[in-house]
Amino acid sequence: MQLNRKAASAAIRPDRRRRWRYRGRLATLSAVLVLLLPHWSFGWASLAVPSLSPYVAVAAAIAVRSITITALLALPVLCLSLLRPRWFCRFACPTGLLVEMAGRVRARPAACGTRLPAIGPWVVLLTVGGACLGYPLLLWLDPLAIFSGCVNALRQTSGRTVWISAAGLPALLLSGLLWPGAWCRRLCPLGATQDLLALAGRELRRRGRPRPPTLPSWRMLRRTALGVGLGAIGAGGFVRALSGARPPRLRPPGAVGEAAFTGLCVRCGNCGRVCPSRIIHPDLGHGVDLLLTPTIRYDDAYCLESCRRCTEVCPSGALLRLALAEKRHTVIGLPHVDMNVCLLGDDRECALCRTHCPYDAIRIVFSETNYSSLPQVDPGRCNGCGACQVMCPTSPIKAIVIQPCS
Amino acid sequence: MGEKYSRRDLIRMLGASGVAAGLGGLAAPGHAPADELVQNGGFAGSIVQPEAVQSTMTCPTLVDGKVIQPRRELTVFHQTDVLVVGGGTAGVTAAVAARRSGAAVTLVERYGHLGGLWTGGLVLVVIGHIVKGGKQVCQGIGEEMLRRLDKVEGGIVHRQPGVNPTVDAEALKYVMVDMVEEAGVRTLLHCWGVDAIMDGNTIRGAVVESKSGRQAILAKVVVDTTGDGDLFAAAGAPYQRCKYSIGLVSRIGNLDKVDDAKANRTKIPKGLGAITPIPGVNWVNMTGPMADGLDVAELSRLEMNHRRFIWKNVQRIRSTPGYEHVFLMETAPQLGVRITRMLRGVKTLTMQGFKAGSRFPDVVAVGGAAGCNHDEWQIPYGALVPKNNVENVLAAGRCISAELKMADMVRVIPICWITGHAAGVAAAVAVEDRCHARDVDVSKVQRVLKQQEAYLG
């Protein structure tokens, strides 16, 4: 009798749980569809997506040694993950949902994905190790960042770049199709973060009770130490390699130092999407580690003196949150004038750079000795907003060009 | 006394008898030179009868070491509806526009030609009438000038859509004379508007100085197109005054005779300038130092320095192999003064508004951008009207109400012609409607402007 009841409740419970899970996933699916709509004005929601990831939040907090406001969004996810293993994967993760759906397209599910060793925890440990040295190695593997990167790239219709910067999610979908489960269960650092959190939660809840024999703590500790150590060494090597050779790039205002930036940036594309001037573009073809990091290009618009939006939407703190007054003093780069190109060098009539400088940082200075004028930039006032470069009438080469500060 | 003397006689007599203030009539007149001329030759027809002058002393006198200008009556040269002071780009456009709108117009110009800095300053390239995308927004009478230049051989070059054209100064002077004559504008050259005639806070005309002496021209509305805002300043309108780059433009010739065999193509000498409609002739711009364009000592110093530099510069070019035949064709008759006074008007053009594309209900002109890389921007009627209660004087040209940051946008040729056009039409409408220029019906002004093919957005 008792056995029967137990069996019955066991039969009902998974059913009910499944129903809830379906409802949850249906909600996620509709949310995802809304976010994917090309010109949906409800944009802030998709901006918040990468900020939900505790993987990004924790690693970034370690790397920048502070907690940003956007990271607070990840806190509830983190706390719940201590109690419920992988609840986010089951109920909320839009990437997971899409990858799983891709896997179901196939008639006979392949099992090869599950044969893969669990790489996810190593990714997490390496990244945390790197974060200790300020360079979270594999932060960009976060599934929410990959999802946002795709959504944002699709919204920022600008030709070829879109297809490269939106490729992350399709790649994961392809992996889901070929090796179902491989990404979510074996690779995904967000899933692995939840696993590790659940493990920690279990340890916390266990308190005085004896340790189960399945997972000896020393082994876990050794593994953790190894992962973190390797990450730190890798990050150290990376930082050293980066700080040397490559010329610096123009980054959005508030960007942390160039070496840390490439590590901290999750390539979610949020900054590029909110930019009203559309001057923030994903970097293509300047090295693998720089791929899809946001760079500034002053083609036909400049960094507006009235705007600080890019600094508000960074989920990882790669761009520091700046007040408007701070942003106006945050140097993106400095203009360099080529007098061989400048119209004034040939005594043609022009003062457009001076006229359009929002910070009054450019003067036209006349020299009695060679009897000609040239634009002179006051580095104390200039923040490299690019207004001068945009307005410079010389073509195809601009006489005044913002260059990154080295 | 009853006898009448010419002014010259009076001065000569005073010179002979020392400073005998007010005693001109006491000295007995000597021999009359005019009579002598009549007796000595057949020039009777050339004799100009000396003008009647007042018997009282009219020239300044020294009183306690100070130079005192005595009170005196001025000859009223004539009366008109609209007096345009300054025959530059804005002035010619304003005069033609006002005349075409039905007002009687007098145009006063200090030099012997029309066109101001566009012709006499050799600012030959027209920049600022095109917006992003290549559309030309500055139309109206200025565009008519360009169209007339199209028909003159060697009148204009680079006249393609979306490109800044370059005009020939002489062709333009010719075209402008044609236009003011056709319109029926009474034009006085060699005549310098020096002061405002006020009736309370309302301007009633201007004092002009010329070889005919100091005379008055009475008018219902005065349009100040002096560039320096001389008239509105004299009338008591508020303004800001600033220093700006002052240069001197020149033209060099024989550039088509450069010997390519000798010249090094990779090392073209600097300072060759830009092409003009005349083959082999370039115009050479000069930015020059920041200076006060209202300081005659400074203007003189600059003019002399600039001339010295231009001469040396051409010698440098001539010393370059292949460029031996290049020569200095002319220096501009007018010094390139860019900005001096700017009116403080009812409305002021701001950089912020320019960038934001501010729209005004009283828009009377639409400007473009020097680099053809900005959207159109509106100029309100309020930018031509003084902020204080000085009535019936309108500013047009480079001295309209704008913040200094906007100076480079405002001081270009097309903006001068569109603001001139607007001021001319507004002045004529004010005369027709018998109201102050400030209270003019702007919608009517806009309507007339559109009839005269101005573009208002």
Side-chain angles (χ1 to χ4, degrees), chain A residues 63 125-137 227-228 230-236:
Chain A
L125 293 178
L126 279 171
T127 304
V128 169
C132 295
L133 281 190
Y135 194 90
L137 270 181
V228 171
L230 277 175
I233 292 165

Side-chain angles (χ1 to χ4, degrees), chain B residues 404-417:
Chain B
L404 190 52
K405 236 177 138 34
M406 278 299 286
D408 285 325
M409 298 290 125
V410 164
R411 65 184 178 81
V412 291
I413 298 297
I415 308 304
C416 290
W417 92 52

Side-chain angles (χ1 to χ4, degrees), chain A residues 347 349 354-355 357 371 391, chain B residues 285 306 338 405 408 411:
Chain A
D347 241 325
E349 187 73 14
R354 173 185 63 186
T355 306
C357 175
Y371 228 78
M391 292 315 289
Chain B
N285 187 43
H306 288 352
R338 287 178 174 82
K405 236 177 138 34
D408 285 325
R411 65 184 178 81

Side-chain angles (χ1 to χ4, degrees), chain A residues 300 302 305 339-340 342 344-360 364 366 368 370-373 387 390-393 398, chain B residues 127 132 244-245 270-274 283-290 301-302 305-306 309 338 351 354-355 369-371 373-374 405-406 408-409 411:
Chain A
D300 51 6
Y302 70 99
E305 60 274 24
M339 283 316 285
N340 291 318
C342 180
L344 286 177
D346 208 18
D347 241 325
R348 307 268 294 276
E349 187 73 14
C350 186
L352 285 173
C353 52
R354 173 185 63 186
T355 306
H356 287 273
C357 175
Y359 304 97
D360 277 332
I364 306 290
F366 179 78
E368 289 278 352
N370 47 16
Y371 228 78
S372 67
S373 301
V390 173
M391 292 315 289
C392 180
K398 298 278 187 175
Chain B
I127 53 174
K132 208 190 261 178
Y244 226 79
S245 306
K270 282 209 159 203
L272 287 182
W283 72 285
V284 187
N285 187 43
M286 184 198 291
T287 306
M290 292 282 190
R301 181 181 63 84
L302 287 177
N305 285 351
H306 288 352
F309 168 76
R338 287 178 174 82
M351 197 64 201
F354 168 81
K355 282 186 182 170
N373 52 0
H374 200 278
K405 236 177 138 34
M406 278 299 286
D408 285 325
M409 298 290 125
R411 65 184 178 81

Side-chain angles (χ1 to χ4, degrees), chain B residues 78-372:
Chain B
H78 83 133
Q79 293 200 18
T80 182
D81 289 339
V82 177
L83 173 63
V84 181
V85 183
T89 313
V92 171
T93 322
V96 171
R99 185 74 197 93
R100 287 183 184 173
S101 310
V105 182
T106 300
L107 173 64
V108 169
E109 163 56 35
R110 79 190 234 206
Y111 292 100
H113 59 262
L114 296 175
L117 282 164
W118 198 1
T119 57
L122 292 178
V123 182
L124 300 182
V125 67
V126 179
I127 53 174
H129 57 315
I130 298 169
V131 291
K132 208 190 261 178
K135 180 181 169 191
Q136 182 182 330
V137 291
C138 299
Q139 298 279 347
I141 292 170
E143 168 62 15
E144 187 186 326
M145 290 174 189
L146 300 186
R147 282 198 202 129
R148 285 179 181 234
L149 284 173
D150 287 336
K151 292 180 190 144
V152 178
E153 178 146 9
I156 190 163
V157 73
H158 285 168
R159 183 100 158 108
Q160 295 104 23
V163 182
N164 294 327
T166 302
V167 303
D168 178 60
E170 296 307 320
L172 186 57
K173 286 175 192 174
Y174 164 75
V175 161
M176 282 180 166
V177 166
D178 258 7
M179 285 178 75
V180 292
E181 297 244 293
E182 274 172 33
V185 174
R186 179 153 196 186
T187 307
L188 297 173
L189 298 177
H190 304 292
C191 185
W192 194 320
V194 291
D195 215 340
I197 300 168
M198 299 302 289
D199 179 8
N201 59 342
T202 306
I203 198 165
R204 295 295 301 276
V207 178
V208 296
E209 197 80 66
S210 67
K211 282 289 163 189
S212 306
R214 199 171 170 89
Q215 292 171 309
I217 298 175
L218 294 180
K220 290 170 185 158
V221 180
V222 174
V223 180
D224 184 346
T225 51
T226 55
D228 294 327
D230 291 339
L231 259 287
F232 67 63
Y239 58 85
Q240 75 168 339
R241 196 178 146 170
C242 53
K243 289 186 170 187
Y244 226 79
S245 306
I246 298 177
L248 185 65
V249 186
S250 52
R251 282 199 278 188
I252 54 176
N254 270 354
L255 282 159
D256 48 350
K257 297 209 174 105
V258 171
D259 188 349
D260 283 338
K262 277 204 270 175
N264 182 353
R265 273 172 192 278
T266 55
K267 221 181 152 191
I268 297 162
K270 282 209 159 203
L272 287 182
I275 68 154
T276 68
I278 306 175
V281 174
N282 272 15
W283 72 285
V284 187
N285 187 43
M286 184 198 291
T287 306
M290 292 282 190
D292 183 359
L294 299 177
D295 178 342
V296 69
E298 194 134 294
L299 290 176
S300 309
R301 181 181 63 84
L302 287 177
E303 178 98 39
M304 291 192 278
N305 285 351
H306 288 352
R307 283 183 186 286
R308 200 177 296 130
F309 168 76
I310 289 170
W311 185 260
K312 284 182 184 162
N313 196 41
V314 174
Q315 298 314 307
R316 179 183 56 78
I317 293 169
R318 284 165 64 94
S319 67
T320 314
Y323 290 81
E324 293 84 355
H325 296 296
V326 172
F327 73 105
L328 178 60
M329 201 172 118
E330 74 168 322
T331 50
Q334 288 180 238
L335 202 55
V337 177
R338 287 178 174 82
I339 289 287
T340 48
R341 292 191 190 95
M342 296 187 95
L343 179 74
R344 280 194 203 283
V346 173
K347 288 185 184 166
T348 299
L349 295 166
T350 62
M351 197 64 201
Q352 207 184 356
F354 168 81
K355 282 186 182 170
S358 291
R359 301 184 75 79
F360 302 98
D362 59 340
V363 54
V364 287
V366 173
C372 312

Side-chain angles (χ1 to χ4, degrees), chain A residues 163-175:
Chain A
W163 299 113
I164 301 175
S165 46
L169 190 60
L172 290 190
L173 293 182
L174 193 68
S175 86

